Amino acid sequence: MSDAAVHVPASLKKTARAAGILYFAFLVFGMSAEIIRGSLVVAGDAAATAANLVANDFLFRLGAFSELLGETVFVFLVLALYALFKGSNRVVARTMVALVLVSIPIAMISVLGQFGALFTAGQDADQAMLFLQLYKTGVQIAGIFWGLWLFPFGWLSFKSGFIPKALGVLLMAGCFGYLGDSLLALVFPGNDTLAIPGMVVVTVAELAMILWLLIFGVKTTQKKGEML
């Protein structure tokens, strides 16, 4: 393996920055939706939750719409990442895209549960909570693919030569954080706290990648042999 420097097209830096912006927007929309929903849904109290939904109809709709916007941005994010990493390994990059594109309709359809809760909150609080549970279960199913896509994403980052290898390792580890969270929620409910360490890894990995893409983009030179 030669140590000679190989030029990486400067256009990749623009692509990386675009991906960083989209990743940040995806994070903002998702966090906004979660904060709004969390402020209105009272765990274990159907009556209080229903009253909050009726009293804050517009806010709850805004949160649901924010979630749908986030999933829409996710489409363009993964396409930007494909453009960034296809030179590393086109097959793995396509796998990354496919896993994301499977998750998006699942997540979007799950949002119907939020609207179902909103429509029934004024008549039947227990039914509204059932719709919210269906939404939550749909998200947990989508979480399987949110985990799986991180592995090829991390692998491509690790092999690219223009993203720190540590970020690639963190992303691949984050894959198992999401998978563990979905497994516990779907198969072993009531053990949510066990998933916290894995989700911390996910959060650190994704935040670090967003910051790297936004601030540094990519290295425009690398050693020969660093890319596949």
Side-chain angles (χ1 to χ4, degrees):
M1 181 184 298
S2 171
D3 288 336
V6 177
H7 179 70
V8 177
S11 60
L12 281 183
K13 185 176 286 288
K14 294 181 180 179
T15 302
R17 289 278 167 73
I21 292 169
L22 289 166
Y23 215 154
F24 180 72
F26 173 61
L27 176 69
V28 169
F29 284 129
M31 287 185 64
S32 298
E34 189 169 345
I35 289 170
I36 291 171
R37 188 173 58 254
S39 69
L40 299 177
V41 176
V42 182
D45 194 333
T49 297
N52 285 342
L53 297 189
V54 171
N56 299 277
D57 178 282
F58 175 74
L59 182 61
F60 192 72
R61 288 177 184 273
L62 187 63
F65 186 64
S66 180
E67 192 158 350
L68 293 173
L69 282 177
E71 292 302 319
T72 303
V73 169
F74 204 3
V75 176
F76 296 99
L77 166 59
V78 77
L79 291 177
L81 290 174
Y82 175 79
L84 184 64
F85 290 117
K86 64 183 179 181
S88 296
N89 188 303
R90 197 174 293 267
V91 173
V92 177
R94 286 173 178 168
T95 301
M96 174 185 67
V97 173
L99 291 168
V100 168
L101 295 183
V102 169
S103 77
I104 290 170
I106 297 173
M108 283 189 153
I109 291 171
S110 298
V111 176
L112 286 172
Q114 294 190 49
F115 287 102
L118 190 63
F119 297 152
T120 58
Q123 292 78 40
D124 190 330
D126 289 331
Q127 189 173 16
M129 288 297 280
L130 176 61
F131 275 115
L132 288 173
Q133 183 57 51
L134 287 174
Y135 157 76
K136 185 176 179 180
T137 301
V139 169
Q140 289 158 353
I141 294 170
I144 296 171
F145 296 95
W146 292 340
L148 290 174
W149 92 284
L150 289 177
F151 197 87
F153 181 20
W155 189 90
L156 288 164
S157 299
F158 184 86
K159 291 291 186 178
S160 68
F162 50 73
I163 299 290
K165 291 183 180 294
L167 289 184
V169 172
L170 275 175
L171 288 168
M172 287 187 280
C175 163
F176 300 102
Y178 258 124
L179 292 178
D181 183 61
S182 291
L183 174 66
L184 289 171
L186 296 170
V187 183
F188 304 103
N191 295 282
D192 297 359
T193 55
L194 296 177
I196 291 176
M199 294 309 294
V200 169
V201 173
V202 172
T203 302
V204 171
E206 295 202 271
L207 285 176
M209 178 57 80
I210 290 170
L211 290 173
W212 178 269
L213 292 174
L214 284 173
I215 298 171
F216 301 106
V218 298
K219 294 183 292 184
T220 54
T221 58
Q222 60 186 25
K223 293 179 180 181
K224 184 179 293 185
E226 286 186 329
M227 290 183 66
L228 291 182

